[in-house]
Amino acid sequence: MTRHDHTVAIIVAAGRGERIGGAVPKQFIDLGGRPLVEHSRAALLTHPRIDRVVVIVSPDQADRIADAWPIGGATRRDSVLKALEALAETGATRVLIHDAARPFVPDDVIDRLLDALDAQDGAVPVLAVADTLARGDTMLGEPVPREAMFRIQTPQAFRFEAILDAHRRWPDEVEATDDAGMARRMGYDVMMVKGSPVLDKLTYPADVAAAHDRLAMAMETRSATGFDVHRLETGEELWLGGVNIPHAKGLSGHSDADVALHALTDALLGTIAAGDIGTHFPPSDPQWRGADSAQFLQHAASLIAAEGGRIDFVDLTLMCEAPKIGPHRAAMVTRIADLLAIEERRVSIKATTTERLGFTGRGEGIAAQASATVSVPRR
Ligand code: CTP
Ligand code: MG
């Protein structure tokens, strides 16, 4: 791979999903709280060797997901060709072409494909056939030797110019198989690399249930904690859990000093080992003076989402003698659930005094402790 390679992934998501049926095409069905296509998009986007991911949808489905190109065509081949043409002048040197209907994309398959491109025009992930194969109609016919047979999956990887040329020169009267088959027919070399059973395509209704099971297995649970303290001072506003609370004193600090949101932000960042709040919003940076801590929390949530993760639960304990938290608890739950775009039942807020002991007991400050539980894709 040269330093100047610009690798783009195309996800084709413009089909009708007729064999699966249902109210929406299969690429948009809900899988773990997100449209199916978002799973492969996140997997490809987070791969370090992929620079850009474009999702192709049909013009009448443009509103189903964000940031998609509504240029899909009548056939899969049309959708791919339109995407390639749209990318033709963008400097792309390598392209991965992937079906939205294959939500799980292992990193190691992408690595094998891109490695193969160093020496070849194209590369495809394949799996050996395990079952005995035979021809037949209603009656069993001749066996077919399975040693020479492979199941072909996506993503398929190509030098950009090679696959664009193959698509452009493809004779319309010949039915296109997959992109690799087209490249091969047009004289390009395509190498087979080891695919993965998790790459299997959702084609029939039973595949949807299998995908839900697979998702559960493909995710790992992470939990992390966060802790923060701010000083209580007169003349400051009191922001706690994203809610403004009338009180004789308020919390002081560089931002709005919302100790609850800070502890929660650190807990969320911890689940993806992304440092702490100071890593992302240095207190030395004047732009965060008086800042609304809601943006810190939302940033942490967006980093988890970008990894394809989901926030399962957050739990907060506030430590102070005053104010009383109980009357504000419901408002804080609503605000935090809203900021994290999760249901209120996934947010827990508790409070305790410290029996008049220590700095919280003396009313000098408020402490907050948080824990967060998330599911992120295994990588
Ligand atoms: N695809 C596409 N444009 C088309 C047809 C298919 O982008 N005109 C995409 C599909 O969205 C899918 C992939 O190509 O991600 C593989 O196609 P397939 O599994 O056949 O999906 P559908 O055509 O949607 O399903 P069906 O054939 O059951 O209608
Ligand atoms: Mg189809």
Side-chain angles (χ1 to χ4, degrees), residues 2 4 8 20 50 56-57 78 109 126 148 158 185 217 226 248 299 330 343 355:
T2 72
H4 305 294
V8 179
I20 279 188
I50 296 175
I56 308 302
V57 298
D78 288 341
V109 175
V126 305
F158 305 94
R185 273 281 290 266
M217 277 158 42
H299 180 69
E343 299 131 290
E355 297 289 323

Short mmCIF file of all heavy atoms in Angstrom, two decimals, residues 2 4 8 20 50 56-57 78 109 126 148 158 185 217 226 248 299 330 343 355:
data_model
loop_
_atom_site.label_atom_id
_atom_site.label_comp_id
_atom_site.label_asym_id
_atom_site.label_seq_id
_atom_site.Cartn_x
_atom_site.Cartn_y
_atom_site.Cartn_z
N THR A 2 0.58 2.16 -0.87
CA THR A 2 1.36 3.39 -0.88
C THR A 2 0.73 4.38 0.08
O THR A 2 -0.41 4.25 0.47
CB THR A 2 1.39 4.02 -2.29
OG1 THR A 2 0.09 4.55 -2.55
CG2 THR A 2 1.76 3.01 -3.35
N HIS A 4 -0.28 7.18 -0.55
CA HIS A 4 -1.31 8.02 -1.15
C HIS A 4 -2.60 7.28 -1.44
O HIS A 4 -3.51 7.85 -2.04
CB HIS A 4 -0.76 8.66 -2.43
CG HIS A 4 0.51 9.41 -2.16
ND1 HIS A 4 0.53 10.53 -1.38
CD2 HIS A 4 1.78 9.16 -2.52
CE1 HIS A 4 1.78 10.96 -1.28
NE2 HIS A 4 2.56 10.14 -1.95
N VAL A 8 -12.01 3.96 -0.30
CA VAL A 8 -13.42 4.29 -0.07
C VAL A 8 -14.20 2.99 0.03
O VAL A 8 -13.91 2.03 -0.69
CB VAL A 8 -13.97 5.13 -1.25
CG1 VAL A 8 -15.44 5.46 -1.03
CG2 VAL A 8 -13.16 6.40 -1.42
N ILE A 20 -37.30 -10.99 1.88
CA ILE A 20 -37.56 -10.90 3.33
C ILE A 20 -38.94 -10.31 3.59
O ILE A 20 -39.63 -10.67 4.53
CB ILE A 20 -36.45 -10.07 4.04
CG1 ILE A 20 -35.25 -10.97 4.28
CG2 ILE A 20 -36.96 -9.48 5.35
CD1 ILE A 20 -34.16 -10.38 5.15
N ILE A 50 -9.67 2.53 6.15
CA ILE A 50 -10.73 3.03 5.26
C ILE A 50 -10.92 4.53 5.51
O ILE A 50 -11.09 4.97 6.64
CB ILE A 50 -12.04 2.26 5.49
CG1 ILE A 50 -11.81 0.80 5.10
CG2 ILE A 50 -13.19 2.87 4.68
CD1 ILE A 50 -12.99 -0.10 5.38
N ILE A 56 -25.35 4.02 -0.46
CA ILE A 56 -26.21 4.30 -1.61
C ILE A 56 -27.62 3.79 -1.31
O ILE A 56 -27.83 2.61 -1.05
CB ILE A 56 -25.67 3.59 -2.88
CG1 ILE A 56 -24.18 3.93 -3.11
CG2 ILE A 56 -26.53 3.95 -4.09
CD1 ILE A 56 -23.86 5.39 -3.26
N VAL A 57 -28.59 4.71 -1.33
CA VAL A 57 -30.00 4.32 -1.14
C VAL A 57 -30.77 4.73 -2.38
O VAL A 57 -30.28 5.50 -3.21
CB VAL A 57 -30.61 4.97 0.13
CG1 VAL A 57 -29.89 4.50 1.39
CG2 VAL A 57 -30.59 6.49 0.04
N ASP A 78 -26.57 -1.44 -11.21
CA ASP A 78 -26.80 0.00 -11.45
C ASP A 78 -26.37 0.82 -10.24
O ASP A 78 -25.76 1.87 -10.37
CB ASP A 78 -28.30 0.31 -11.64
CG ASP A 78 -28.81 -0.17 -12.97
OD1 ASP A 78 -27.97 -0.40 -13.87
OD2 ASP A 78 -30.04 -0.33 -13.10
N VAL A 109 -11.14 -9.50 7.98
CA VAL A 109 -11.47 -9.73 6.57
C VAL A 109 -11.08 -8.51 5.75
O VAL A 109 -10.48 -8.63 4.67
CB VAL A 109 -12.98 -10.04 6.40
CG1 VAL A 109 -13.34 -10.16 4.93
CG2 VAL A 109 -13.35 -11.32 7.14
N VAL A 126 -14.16 -15.42 0.61
CA VAL A 126 -14.88 -16.65 0.25
C VAL A 126 -14.89 -17.61 1.43
O VAL A 126 -14.04 -17.54 2.31
CB VAL A 126 -14.24 -17.36 -0.98
CG1 VAL A 126 -14.12 -16.41 -2.16
CG2 VAL A 126 -12.89 -17.97 -0.63
N ALA A 148 -13.90 -27.71 -5.33
CA ALA A 148 -13.63 -26.59 -6.24
C ALA A 148 -14.69 -25.50 -6.13
O ALA A 148 -14.77 -24.62 -6.97
CB ALA A 148 -13.57 -27.11 -7.68
N PHE A 158 -11.27 -3.70 -4.69
CA PHE A 158 -10.70 -3.52 -6.03
C PHE A 158 -9.82 -2.29 -6.08
O PHE A 158 -10.04 -1.32 -5.35
CB PHE A 158 -11.81 -3.32 -7.07
CG PHE A 158 -12.83 -4.43 -7.07
CD1 PHE A 158 -13.99 -4.30 -6.31
CD2 PHE A 158 -12.60 -5.60 -7.77
CE1 PHE A 158 -14.93 -5.34 -6.27
CE2 PHE A 158 -13.55 -6.63 -7.74
CZ PHE A 158 -14.70 -6.50 -6.99
N ARG A 185 -14.48 -11.36 -15.48
CA ARG A 185 -14.88 -11.50 -16.88
C ARG A 185 -14.23 -10.45 -17.77
O ARG A 185 -14.02 -10.65 -18.96
CB ARG A 185 -16.41 -11.34 -17.03
CG ARG A 185 -17.22 -12.61 -16.85
CD ARG A 185 -17.21 -13.52 -18.08
NE ARG A 185 -17.94 -13.02 -19.26
CZ ARG A 185 -19.19 -13.32 -19.53
NH1 ARG A 185 -19.89 -14.07 -18.72
NH2 ARG A 185 -19.75 -12.87 -20.64
N MET A 217 -24.34 -11.74 20.22
CA MET A 217 -23.03 -12.38 20.38
C MET A 217 -21.89 -11.48 19.92
O MET A 217 -20.76 -11.61 20.37
CB MET A 217 -22.99 -13.69 19.61
CG MET A 217 -23.62 -14.83 20.40
SD MET A 217 -24.16 -16.20 19.38
CE MET A 217 -22.84 -16.38 18.24
N GLY A 226 -17.08 7.02 36.79
CA GLY A 226 -16.55 8.39 36.74
C GLY A 226 -16.79 9.05 38.08
O GLY A 226 -17.72 8.68 38.81
N ALA A 248 -28.88 28.64 47.46
CA ALA A 248 -28.10 29.79 47.93
C ALA A 248 -26.69 29.81 47.34
O ALA A 248 -26.09 30.87 47.17
CB ALA A 248 -28.03 29.76 49.46
N HIS A 299 -20.85 14.67 23.55
CA HIS A 299 -19.65 14.28 22.81
C HIS A 299 -19.26 12.84 23.17
O HIS A 299 -18.94 12.03 22.29
CB HIS A 299 -18.51 15.24 23.11
CG HIS A 299 -17.24 14.90 22.38
ND1 HIS A 299 -17.13 15.03 21.01
CD2 HIS A 299 -16.06 14.38 22.82
CE1 HIS A 299 -15.92 14.63 20.64
NE2 HIS A 299 -15.25 14.22 21.72
N ALA A 330 -36.57 13.72 38.92
CA ALA A 330 -37.29 13.40 37.68
C ALA A 330 -36.83 14.30 36.53
O ALA A 330 -36.63 13.82 35.40
CB ALA A 330 -38.80 13.53 37.89
N GLU A 343 -33.84 5.80 26.64
CA GLU A 343 -35.08 5.85 27.39
C GLU A 343 -34.82 6.21 28.86
O GLU A 343 -33.75 5.89 29.39
CB GLU A 343 -35.79 4.49 27.34
CG GLU A 343 -36.17 4.05 25.95
CD GLU A 343 -35.72 2.61 25.71
OE1 GLU A 343 -34.48 2.39 25.61
OE2 GLU A 343 -36.58 1.74 25.61
N GLU A 355 -23.46 12.37 56.13
CA GLU A 355 -23.58 12.45 57.59
C GLU A 355 -22.79 13.63 58.15
O GLU A 355 -22.12 13.50 59.18
CB GLU A 355 -23.12 11.13 58.25
CG GLU A 355 -23.96 9.93 57.86
CD GLU A 355 -25.36 9.97 58.47
OE1 GLU A 355 -25.47 10.43 59.62
OE2 GLU A 355 -26.32 9.59 57.78
#
